[in-house]
């Protein structure tokens, strides 16, 4: 069973990763040439074309999505399971 925290973590992490990989990639394609992740220079060293989004930005957005999943994993490890919290552990005395 998923609660609101589960759904929020899944939605936020998936949204960030999709934005960083698919969303920004599609925008790069729609803008057109160049398809290079780094600035393109001519032989004189002048920058003649740059990408729409820097590789650092795209990587940062994807890593933020992974970080959300990591924080969610830590949350799930630290909080006890709901079934275990309700169930009492009884032992039979001799």
């Amino acid at each position: 069973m998923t609660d609101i925290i589960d759904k929020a973590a899944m939605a936020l992490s998936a949204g960030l990763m999709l934005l960083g990989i698919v969303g920004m990639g599609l925008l790069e394609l729609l803008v057109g040439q160049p398809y290079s992740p780094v600035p393109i220079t001519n032989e004189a060293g002048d920058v003649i074309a740059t990408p729409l989004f820097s590789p650092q930005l795209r990587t940062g957005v994807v890593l933020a999505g992974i970080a959300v999943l990591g924080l969610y994993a830590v949350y799930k490890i630290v909080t006890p399971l709901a079934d275990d919290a309700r169930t009492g552990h009884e032992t039979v005395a001799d």
Side-chain angles (χ1 to χ4, degrees), residues 28 34-41 47-56:
E28 286 282 346
Y35 299 121
S36 173
V38 294
I40 297 175
T41 58
V47 175
I48 56 174
T50 59
L52 184 62
F53 301 106
S54 71
Q56 292 84 4

Side-chain angles (χ1 to χ4, degrees), residues 7-25:
K7 291 178 185 177
M10 288 186 276
L12 181 61
S13 64
L16 286 171
M17 288 191 280
L18 283 173
L19 175 68
I21 297 169
V22 179
M24 291 182 183

